[in-house]
């Protein structure tokens, strides 16, 4: 990570409970420091996502950690076996019905990761957590949230962009990674539950990119992280691994950059000028519809109407 202490408040340093840096721009109305920081860390163009020095994840609420959608939906269930049963049923439900919407020849049902990527692409809950190799794409997701009531912008909360140094993360995860036969694990609910309760590793996170690129994943420069235990918070998994492997190296830690609600307004205008919008990130008529909402929001904020 770049040295940021002169330009940012460091509100949290990595510890055993929250193993990540948390930083905020010192002057929330001056985004020049933030822009300079972005220019330093934003990735250059590469032919493969695995060569990029950083992964980014934007979230509209800074209080959220790094939990995949499936984990958030099923967390709090008293029995782990029950949660795994629901997850398995969701996976099977998708596999049994996806052929109704997509040609069978393009459905990778025998490849667990590819099938999970397909589920993630179509908004089904999975273990996968979305990241991007573009800071601007991550920033988009942190500042353009669903507008429940656009007449009440004061209710907007701070957002965040998570930043992880990829090479350091991979090195920190270099433990003995057993090869998994996911086809066998998913062959029955009993095998899946047995694996999840007795064999899955709580500290193991895989980094994955789909070999079957969809238009949306390509545009958003997406990659995924995946862990074997359903109840893992990936902020703790990744942050703890980095903190233990590089205890005295600030540049190799997980970092959460807070985007204040006031900064969100500035960045919405900036991203609109850069043509980073729903229309470009979500190809199709749904992206066009979302982009109209975004433009109207920016106009309201710019002209105080």
């Amino acid at each position: 990570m770049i040295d940021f202490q002169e330009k940012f408040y460091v509100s949290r340093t990595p510890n055993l409970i929250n193993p990540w840096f948390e930083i905020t721009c010192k002057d929330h109305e001056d985004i020049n420091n933030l822009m300079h920081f972005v220019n330093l860390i934003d990735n250059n163009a590469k032919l493969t996502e695995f060569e990029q020095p950083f992964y980014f994840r934007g979230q509209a609420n800074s209080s959220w950690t790094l939990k995949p959608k499936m984990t958030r939906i099923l967390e709090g269930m008293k029995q782990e076996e029950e949660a795994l049963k629901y997850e398995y049923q969701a996976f099977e439900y998708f596999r049994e019905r996806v052929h109704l919407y997509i040609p069978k020849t393009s459905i990778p049902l025998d490849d667990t990761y590819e099938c999970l990527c397909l589920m993630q692409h179509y908004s089904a809950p999975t273990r996968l957590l979305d990241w991007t190799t573009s800071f601007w794409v991550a920033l988009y997701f942190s500042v353009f949230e669903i507008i429940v009531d656009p007449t009440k912008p004061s209710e907007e909360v701070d957002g965040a962009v998570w930043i992880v140094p990829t090479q350091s993360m991979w090195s920190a995860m270099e433990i003995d990674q057993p090869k998994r036969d996911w086809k066998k694990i998913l062959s029955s609910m009993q095998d899946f539950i047995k694996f999840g309760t007795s064999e899955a590793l709580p500290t193991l996170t895989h980094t994955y990119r789909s070999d079957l690129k969809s238009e949306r994943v390509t545009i958003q420069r997406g990659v995924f992280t995946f862990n074997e235990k359903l109840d893992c918070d990936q902020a703790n998994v990744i942050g703890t691994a980095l903190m233990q492997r590089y205890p005295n190296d600030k540049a190799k830690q997980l970092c959460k950059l807070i985007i204040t609600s006031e900064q969100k307004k500035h960045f919405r205008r900036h991203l609109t000028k850069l043509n980073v919008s729903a229309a470009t990130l979500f190809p199709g008529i749904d992206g066009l519809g979302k982009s109209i909402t975004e433009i109207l929001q920016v106009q309201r904020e710019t002209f105080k109407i």
Side-chain angles (χ1 to χ4, degrees):
M1 195 71 61
I2 309 297
D3 185 12
F4 44 73
Q5 296 194 57
E6 291 185 4
K7 299 180 183 297
F8 295 88
Y9 289 115
V10 180
S11 56
R12 174 178 290 143
T13 55
N15 57 63
L16 293 176
I17 299 175
N18 301 116
W20 60 80
F21 276 102
E22 192 167 297
I23 60 176
T24 309
C25 194
K26 287 185 176 179
D27 185 348
H28 71 271
E29 293 182 351
D30 178 13
I31 64 171
N32 290 329
N33 286 340
L34 206 51
M35 296 299 298
H36 177 66
F37 178 69
V38 171
N39 288 332
L40 289 174
I41 66 170
D42 198 29
N43 292 321
N44 294 318
K46 297 281 187 179
L47 291 176
T48 172
E49 294 88 342
F50 292 143
E51 294 179 0
Q52 298 287 13
F54 298 104
Y55 287 165
F56 310 99
R57 176 174 171 80
Q59 297 185 155
N61 191 323
S62 63
S63 68
W64 299 340
T65 57
L66 298 177
K67 293 182 180 180
K69 187 185 292 186
M70 183 64 78
T71 299
R72 287 186 278 114
I73 289 175
L74 297 179
E75 68 180 346
M77 296 188 72
K78 293 181 180 179
Q79 297 294 327
E80 185 179 19
E81 292 87 348
E82 194 73 7
L84 289 166
K85 181 186 81 171
Y86 282 117
E87 183 184 18
Y88 183 84
Q89 288 176 340
F91 187 75
E92 286 295 285
Y93 186 93
F94 182 86
R95 290 206 300 185
E96 290 169 358
R97 290 163 175 79
V98 66
H99 72 275
L100 300 172
Y101 309 95
I102 299 176
K104 285 187 177 181
T105 54
S106 62
I107 303 173
L109 296 182
D110 289 334
D111 188 321
T112 301
Y113 289 121
E114 290 293 351
C115 195
L116 286 172
C117 286
L118 197 62
M119 292 178 68
Q120 188 87 347
H121 175 69
Y122 289 106
S123 303
T126 74
R127 300 268 191 104
L128 297 180
L129 192 69
D130 300 85
W131 297 77
T132 174
T133 60
S134 167
F135 180 89
W136 300 111
V137 172
L139 184 64
Y140 167 86
F141 286 105
S142 74
V143 303
F144 277 111
E145 55 189 329
I146 298 173
I147 306 169
V148 178
D149 187 350
T151 66
K152 297 180 180 179
S154 61
E155 293 185 354
E156 190 166 47
V157 298
D158 294 347
V161 174
W162 291 83
I163 307 165
V164 60
T166 54
Q167 298 298 329
S168 301
M169 179 178 69
W170 292 330
S171 296
M173 296 295 175
E174 277 180 358
I175 58 177
D176 293 330
Q177 298 187 18
K179 292 192 183 228
R180 304 298 194 188
D181 185 353
W182 282 102
K183 190 172 181 180
K184 181 179 184 305
I185 292 169
L186 288 162
S187 62
S188 71
M189 184 181 295
Q190 291 74 19
D191 287 337
F192 183 71
I193 292 175
K194 178 184 176 183
F195 172 79
T197 55
S198 61
E199 299 176 39
L201 300 177
T203 58
L204 180 62
T205 299
H206 301 285
T207 304
Y208 186 72
R209 62 168 185 165
S210 174
D211 292 328
L212 301 172
K213 296 290 187 185
S214 68
E215 187 177 10
R216 182 178 299 184
V217 169
T218 300
I219 291 172
Q220 295 180 12
R221 293 163 62 178
V223 292
F224 307 101
T225 47
F226 170 86
N227 45 271
E228 295 182 351
K229 290 292 284 184
L230 176 60
D231 59 353
C232 276
D233 182 339
Q234 293 194 19
N236 290 328
V237 173
I238 297 171
T240 299
L242 288 169
M243 190 172 66
Q244 291 176 346
R245 180 69 179 267
Y246 308 103
N248 301 313
D249 194 337
K250 297 177 182 178
K252 295 180 179 179
Q253 304 301 319
L254 180 64
C255 179
K256 180 165 69 169
L257 171 62
I258 303 299
I259 308 297
T260 67
S261 58
E262 187 62 31
Q263 288 172 343
K264 281 185 176 184
K265 300 174 184 178
H266 294 285
F267 274 117
R268 279 195 282 266
R269 290 197 294 272
H270 188 73
L271 290 172
T272 301
K273 292 177 181 179
L274 290 176
N275 200 30
V276 180
S277 68
T280 54
L281 296 178
F282 298 92
I285 195 167
D286 58 332
L288 173 63
K290 289 178 183 178
S291 69
I292 295 172
T293 304
E294 294 170 0
I295 292 170
L296 291 175
Q297 182 184 20
V298 170
Q299 287 183 332
R300 277 184 64 96
E301 293 168 348
T302 302
F303 300 107
K304 315 288 186 199
I305 56 176

